[in-house]
Amino acid sequence: MVPALSGERVELRVMTEDHAAALYDLWCHPEVAPWLDMPPLSSAADAEHLIGLLRQMAREEESLRWSIIGPEGDVIGSCGYNYWQLPGAYRGEIGCELSPPHWGQGYMQEALELVLDFGFGTMGLNRIEVLCHPDNVRAQRLFSALGFRREGLLREYRHTSSGFQDVILYALLCSEARR
């Protein structure tokens, strides 16, 4: 269902209830939460419930999310496919977040390289997209470094608690991916 993927320094594993406390801390972190397209969580129990929903969506092949396990064996983030469509499109959309103490060390780039290889190689995707908040410069640099191309601004694409929000669409084609 959700295969483990291993890199040199990170491993992507299926999310479990054991990851709830670390993911709650991540998803509620003041430097991470503003970039997430999800309602705020109020407890680790909410994170555990969300993990259950994500696992159910993986069973139904609607979404695919991993916990990112760092070199010390702890949960340092999450990433995966928010959705994908094969017939007629062969495309998917990814999302990710990483704990701030681990920023700037290449962990997310390594994790996303695993996700991209899985998407293009195993899932058979031709196009992988990401939606990025215009103010999230760190994420924009990361996706550019991975070979994604900025395709445009989607005006008022999302509705959040603070109103409508623009996003930047980035995409990477299988023919452009480094493998």
Side-chain angles (χ1 to χ4, degrees):
M1 181 175 51
V2 180
L5 304 175
S6 295
E8 289 183 30
R9 299 179 305 148
V10 300
E11 184 177 350
L12 305 185
R13 291 188 199 153
V14 65
M15 288 183 170
T16 67
E17 289 74 19
D18 293 343
H19 301 168
L23 290 171
Y24 171 73
D25 290 344
L26 170 65
W27 291 332
C28 294
H29 193 286
E31 293 180 86
V32 175
W35 309 121
L36 301 179
D37 184 24
M38 63 186 239
L41 303 178
S42 59
S43 68
D46 284 352
E48 192 171 321
H49 178 71
L50 181 55
I51 290 167
L53 290 174
L54 291 168
R55 291 181 65 169
Q56 178 62 34
M57 291 172 72
R59 283 190 290 278
E60 295 170 3
E61 295 187 350
E62 293 178 11
S63 181
L64 187 58
R65 198 81 176 175
W66 289 273
S67 288
I68 302 171
I69 309 301
E72 305 299 319
D74 53 337
V75 175
I76 63 171
S78 82
C79 62
Y81 288 90
N82 298 332
Y83 81 89
W84 68 88
Q85 177 186 358
L86 292 176
Y90 296 92
R91 66 184 165 96
E93 177 192 305
I94 61 172
C96 61
E97 56 275 338
L98 189 70
S99 178
H102 298 94
W103 289 358
Q105 299 174 47
Y107 296 127
M108 185 57 78
Q109 184 164 342
E110 183 178 337
L112 290 179
E113 286 169 352
L114 295 170
V115 170
L116 295 173
D117 286 346
F118 183 79
F120 289 131
T122 304
M123 295 172 72
L125 299 175
N126 180 61
R127 175 184 170 93
I128 297 175
E129 302 171 342
V130 64
L131 300 175
C132 188
H133 190 285
D135 296 335
N136 194 343
V137 177
R138 292 182 67 83
Q140 292 177 50
R141 282 195 310 256
L142 169 65
F143 292 114
S144 293
L146 287 164
F148 281 77
R149 292 188 189 177
R150 180 182 169 143
E151 294 192 340
L153 179 71
L154 303 176
R155 298 177 308 133
E156 297 187 3
Y157 187 79
R158 290 184 179 144
H159 187 263
T160 68
S161 59
S162 60
F164 289 100
Q165 181 184 90
D166 296 345
V167 296
I168 299 172
L169 173 65
Y170 285 84
L172 180 66
L173 303 180
C174 184
S175 61
E176 301 168 337
R178 298 181 299 244
R179 296 169 112 198

